[in-house]
Amino acid sequence: MDLVVKNGRIVDPSQKLDRVADILIRDGLIRTIGDGAFADVPVFDATGLIVAPGFFDIHVHLREPGTEEAETIATGGSAAVAGGFTAVAAMPNTNPPNDNPSITYYILSEARRSSPARVFPIGAITKEQKGEVLAEIGEMFEAGIAGISDDGKPVMNAQLFRLALEYAQMFDMPVIQHCEDLNLSKGGVMHEGIYSTRLGLKGIPAAAEETMVSRDITLTHMTHGKYHVAHLSTRGAVEIVREAKARGLRVSAEVTPHHFTLTDAAVADYDTNAKMNPPLRSADDVAAVVEAIKDGTIDAIASDHAPHHINLKMLEFDRAPFGITGLETAVGLALTKLQLPITRLVELLSINPQKIMKVKSWGLFEGSAADLTILDLKRSWTFDVHRSRSRSRNSPFHGWQLKGKAVATIVGGKVVYEDRA
Amino acid sequence: MLKRKDLLGVQDLGREEILEILDTAESFHEVSTRNIKKVPTLRGKTVINLFFEASTRTRTSFEIAGKRLSADVVNISSSTSSVSKGETLIDTAKTLDAMAADCVVIRHFASGAPHTLAKLTKASIVNGGDGAHEHPTQALLDAYTIRHRKGRLNDLKIAIIGDVAHSRVARSNIHLLTKFGSHVWLCAAPTLMPPGIEKIVCENGELLHISHSMDEAVEGADVVMMLRVQFERMSESFFPSVREYFRYYGLTTVRAERAMPDVIIMHPGPMNRGVEIATEVADGPYSVILDQVSAGVAVRMAVLYLLLGG
């Protein structure tokens, strides 16, 4: 089970690495990084390619258990490696939700059995994600969760959220919030603004996100907790997080590719693949998010991969569920749209996600798990949703021409995905 | 003939198309005054009224319009169709298409439902009102009535007052009247004024005015258009009470006197008497509310003819 990844440009900002070198993998671990021939070892020729520590998508929905017609751990894991991700963090809104160790064990054992990508479950903050009492956070931690979140059901009760921020410190896990004041957003199906008014659709104001980010940061300051903002989407939220970081609070934030790529104008034809939560925001919000990615206010890019069966997306806009798939388009969109230095991109997709979640870190160093993402920055390609490995087809990016792609994904020393030109 | 398959909204209608509809409606208006109220124009055509929301006047108006043109008109309401058995809108529409309907008039509680259908059917889709989005034939019949009374659609002051947030009638009228160069004054409590409304028209945006004072909006108005308070769409307390609503946004005789002496008072119906409009105004000499209803038949005849005829 040896492999040499040869002659690639190896980029790992956590090791301050950016040079052309060979990586020798043995028994699933990185054995040596250097130059020169390794006799009798199979070679993966990475000439002209970027070799990075495995990308980690910290916000995905694998739908298993409970909604296997939309996605399974196997199909979601397969989509992940096809998108260049060696690892994903799975949100707990399964059915039943991941609010106790038996579900955590199930997800992990199914992932070991069927997923080419590593899967780190996220546990629920509260039992049944109901926002009433804390779930068995410690028991789930022992079983293997990497963070806690009630995901699409934000914890509206401030006292309960305070307790979660305090309790999670026993395990050094992040408390991840989908920031949405449910009173302000009630009934909303898209961003509140000119387009929602023109289209006659009920809006979700930016303030629904910002009031909760603001409240949570006050509680983070009070508790010294470790707080992570999921899929941040508004200028106001960017500013609140920026200010909190300046004060030295343990706050991190992620953004999705659709929130730095599309605006609420995409809803104009009542396309249900433009319906997600948080909704696509205004052009001004998109500009603020892009700036925040560049200046470091935003720590990570995460897809919020949310597969839905086509039957549900064929409904009227008001009735269709929120969410789009994203695992296979995230890296291509980031490379195409953001024009970042490659070191910054690796931070956003690998280094920082590892720091945010409670995981044993990996990278381009001896002894690390041999989880690698290999990129071809020059590859032009077109996303074809009908060839997606996800079980669902709800993507607004079908037919998009992108430049830059993950062309190979290595997990534990094994090439689990390869797409050489 | 209109060079389009569907009538989904006023927003994307050109001035020429609107005038063609209004002029055609003028000529059809006469049909309704005859003893035998029928012409053979759409004989052999099938028009289906697919209504997912309660409606008396719009559905009846389309039905009469179709029948006066000799089309076969079938009415389907959500309680009598497979919709109540859980069939999706899309399957319902495809089924009707397979039966070779020429036109489906759809009224739906979800904004955009007609647009979803239009992409899937061969039949022409006419939007009979979708959510809080548009109600194009209402705006066309309002324009017909205004043009009939005022002789023009430009350079008028038109006050649209009431529940703008939930009103598809308001949106369609805003698009239509600003296209022709009239000043539109929107007036509502801030809680019923949707965000960004001042920017929803693509051209002539300077003709759109926002006010929270009914006196200001009505002052010197040529047309006062009252909107129904849509209690059925309100899940929250947008205003404290009907009493207080009427105090600030109810059209009384005293308020109406601020308008031009030849003002016309309009309401798309159904009215909440004593909520947005006083009975003596609704039934008074300036009211053209019943003219709107009869214009509705002529305008819908014109729309069906221009989409299906030829």
Side-chain angles (χ1 to χ4, degrees):
Chain A
M1 278 283 290
D2 293 359
L3 184 71
V4 175
V5 178
K6 199 165 176 53
N7 207 31
R9 178 179 160 197
I10 65 171
V11 177
D12 181 349
S14 74
Q15 315 292 316
K16 299 204 166 28
L17 262 183
D18 184 355
R19 64 186 172 96
V20 173
D22 302 339
I23 299 175
L24 174 66
I25 296 166
R26 181 160 291 162
D27 300 328
L29 303 177
I30 292 177
R31 180 55 61 93
T32 314
I33 295 176
D35 310 290
F38 300 100
D40 303 327
V41 177
V43 169
F44 182 100
D45 181 6
T47 304
L49 304 178
I50 304 286
V51 179
F55 288 177
F56 182 16
D57 187 339
I58 58 175
H59 193 145
V60 307
H61 301 270
L62 296 180
R63 303 300 188 214
E64 186 178 358
T67 319
E68 289 83 355
E69 69 275 19
E71 197 77 287
T72 63
I73 290 167
T75 57
S78 177
V81 296
F85 292 102
T86 62
V88 296
M91 279 293 178
N93 65 332
T94 47
N95 185 17
N98 183 21
D99 67 352
N100 69 75
S102 65
I103 304 292
T104 309
Y105 282 126
Y106 171 77
I107 294 168
L108 285 169
S109 68
E110 182 56 26
R112 270 192 297 273
R113 194 185 70 77
S114 69
S115 169
R118 296 185 199 274
V119 175
F120 296 99
I122 296 169
I125 297 172
T126 66
K127 282 190 177 132
E128 298 177 59
Q129 300 175 276
K130 280 185 170 170
E132 291 166 0
V133 290
L134 290 180
E136 290 166 333
I137 294 167
E139 299 256 334
M140 289 191 288
F141 174 75
E142 302 298 335
I145 61 168
I148 54 172
S149 178
D150 269 358
D151 185 54
K153 297 184 175 167
V155 181
M156 285 288 286
N157 179 329
Q159 165 63 7
L160 191 58
F161 198 69
R162 168 206 175 159
L163 294 174
L165 282 166
E166 289 172 342
Y167 197 77
Q169 290 176 54
M170 295 206 306
F171 316 105
D172 191 32
M173 285 197 297
V175 183
I176 304 163
Q177 181 87 290
H178 165 118
C179 294
E180 175 187 353
D181 182 299
L182 296 174
N183 293 315
L184 282 167
S185 67
K186 189 177 170 191
V189 294
M190 70 173 292
H191 176 61
E192 179 176 300
I194 297 166
Y195 284 97
S196 66
T197 293
R198 187 181 285 159
L199 294 167
L201 293 170
K202 180 99 164 65
I204 300 172
E209 177 167 326
E210 292 154 6
T211 52
M212 189 166 273
V213 174
S214 183
R215 180 203 78 172
D216 288 356
I217 282 173
T218 302
L219 295 171
T220 302
H221 175 73
M222 170 192 185
T223 59
H224 308 289
K226 187 177 178 192
Y227 174 61
H228 178 69
V229 183
H231 43 46
L232 181 150
S233 72
T234 76
R235 177 177 287 278
V238 163
E239 284 166 4
I240 296 162
V241 168
R242 188 179 282 141
E243 187 268 346
K245 286 187 160 191
R247 285 195 282 145
L249 301 186
R250 291 202 295 166
V251 172
S252 56
E254 75 193 29
V255 67
T256 72
H258 46 276
H259 286 115
F260 65 67
T261 305
L262 298 169
T263 69
D264 54 348
V267 184
D269 204 22
Y270 298 97
D271 179 0
T272 57
N273 285 333
K275 179 174 177 180
M276 58 284 279
N277 193 6
L280 297 174
R281 300 290 189 182
S282 72
D284 180 60
D285 292 309
V286 172
V289 161
V290 169
E291 195 188 312
I293 293 170
K294 294 189 171 161
D295 75 9
T297 302
I298 284 169
D299 302 275
I301 292 169
S303 72
D304 193 8
H305 178 78
H308 289 293
H309 193 274
I310 191 165
N311 287 355
L312 296 176
K313 279 291 194 180
M314 279 171 65
L315 299 174
E316 298 86 339
F317 195 89
D318 277 336
R319 296 172 65 200
F322 293 104
I324 59 168
T325 61
L327 278 166
E328 289 159 285
T329 45
V331 171
L333 287 166
L335 287 168
T336 307
K337 293 287 168 186
L338 294 174
Q339 307 297 323
L340 296 170
I342 190 67
T343 49
R344 176 67 187 142
L345 193 90
V346 172
E347 281 176 4
L348 287 159
L349 284 159
S350 180
I351 309 302
N352 293 345
Q354 294 179 52
K355 286 184 194 157
I356 292 163
M357 304 303 290
K358 179 68 177 172
V359 294
K360 183 173 186 289
S361 60
W362 60 89
L364 303 186
F365 54 87
E366 289 169 18
S368 165
D371 291 5
L372 304 174
T373 297
I374 299 179
L375 304 171
D376 182 348
L377 301 183
K378 297 193 186 78
R379 171 78 78 84
S380 292
W381 62 291
T382 303
F383 177 62
D384 180 354
V385 76
H386 305 298
R387 300 179 65 184
S388 168
R389 292 184 173 197
S390 168
R391 201 167 258 192
S392 293
R393 294 288 175 266
N394 51 312
S395 169
F397 299 115
H398 174 62
W400 278 46
Q401 298 198 336
L402 302 172
K403 187 163 184 205
K405 188 178 188 303
V407 293
T409 307
I410 296 174
V411 177
K414 196 171 147 207
V415 180
V416 290
Y417 175 75
E418 194 172 357
D419 174 25
R420 306 298 292 267
Chain B
M1 290 300 126
L2 292 173
K3 290 187 182 61
R4 55 173 65 237
K5 173 177 155 286
D6 311 299
L7 177 64
L8 300 178
V10 174
Q11 190 191 333
D12 59 349
L13 277 183
R15 274 192 297 269
E16 296 304 314
E17 289 177 295
I18 292 167
L19 289 174
E20 187 179 1
I21 293 167
L22 299 183
D23 292 343
T24 307
E26 298 273 4
S27 63
F28 278 133
H29 194 76
E30 182 266 337
V31 175
S32 299
T33 64
R34 296 181 195 171
N35 192 23
I36 307 291
K37 301 180 184 59
K38 209 173 185 78
V39 290
T41 318
L42 292 184
R43 197 168 62 190
K45 301 280 185 183
T46 305
V47 175
I48 294 178
N49 282 329
L50 181 59
F51 276 56
F52 291 84
E53 240 184 17
S55 162
T56 308
R57 76 193 62 215
T58 303
R59 189 188 55 71
T60 311
S61 182
F62 269 110
E63 183 174 355
I64 290 173
K67 285 181 170 168
R68 286 192 183 157
L69 293 170
S70 301
D72 297 307
V73 182
V74 180
N75 290 312
I76 301 174
S77 63
S78 59
S79 57
T80 61
S81 72
S82 301
V83 174
S84 53
K85 298 174 194 161
E87 186 171 75
T88 64
L89 171 65
I90 287 164
D91 286 324
T92 302
K94 286 184 169 177
T95 303
L96 300 179
D97 221 24
M99 293 180 192
D102 297 286
C103 178
V104 176
V105 178
I106 177 174
R107 154 77 55 102
H108 202 286
F109 50 85
S111 298
H115 306 67
T116 304
L117 280 195
K119 281 181 236 163
L120 297 164
T121 58
K122 288 193 291 291
S124 288
I125 302 296
V126 174
N127 183 354
D130 65 322
H133 176 230
E134 280 228 43
H135 191 353
T137 57
Q138 178 70 42
L140 288 163
L141 73 87
D142 290 341
Y144 181 97
T145 307
I146 293 168
R147 190 172 75 156
H148 189 70
R149 290 297 186 119
K150 299 288 170 194
R152 65 184 199 277
L153 288 172
N154 58 313
D155 296 325
L156 296 166
K157 176 175 180 179
I158 295 162
I160 300 179
I161 294 163
D163 184 0
V164 178
H166 301 98
S167 179
R168 53 194 173 214
V169 174
R171 283 171 179 73
S172 288
N173 268 300
I174 290 165
H175 287 302
L176 193 152
L177 295 165
T178 54
K179 274 181 207 284
F180 282 92
S182 277
H183 286 268
V184 175
W185 283 71
L186 299 175
C187 179
T191 50
L192 289 173
M193 194 67 87
I197 187 84
E198 69 283 359
K199 294 184 191 145
I200 74 162
V201 295
C202 298
E203 50 176 332
N204 296 347
E206 72 284 0
L207 297 176
L208 202 51
H209 311 268
I210 310 291
S211 175
H212 305 306
S213 156
M214 189 164 171
D215 286 346
E216 182 186 30
V218 171
E219 187 72 43
D222 301 288
V223 177
V224 176
M225 192 180 289
M226 300 305 297
L227 299 174
R228 186 170 66 87
V229 177
Q230 302 198 41
F231 292 105
E232 73 278 13
R233 292 184 205 276
M234 290 186 187
S235 52
E236 298 157 67
S237 57
F238 290 96
F239 50 87
S241 68
V242 164
R243 233 166 75 107
E244 190 160 317
Y245 184 87
F246 188 73
R247 178 191 180 98
Y248 292 109
Y249 298 105
L251 186 61
T252 58
T253 311
V254 175
R255 281 220 173 89
E257 279 168 4
R258 291 179 170 269
M260 296 296 277
D262 61 345
V263 66
I264 57 173
I265 310 287
M266 307 177 77
H267 193 298
M271 282 183 281
N272 299 305
R273 289 173 184 262
V275 179
E276 68 261 0
I277 189 163
T279 287
E280 56 271 27
V281 179
D283 301 334
Y286 306 109
S287 169
V288 297
I289 294 170
L290 294 176
D291 298 22
Q292 291 173 267
V293 177
S294 53
V297 174
V299 162
R300 287 171 179 127
M301 286 170 80
V303 166
L304 293 175
Y305 168 71
L306 292 170
L307 288 175
L308 305 182

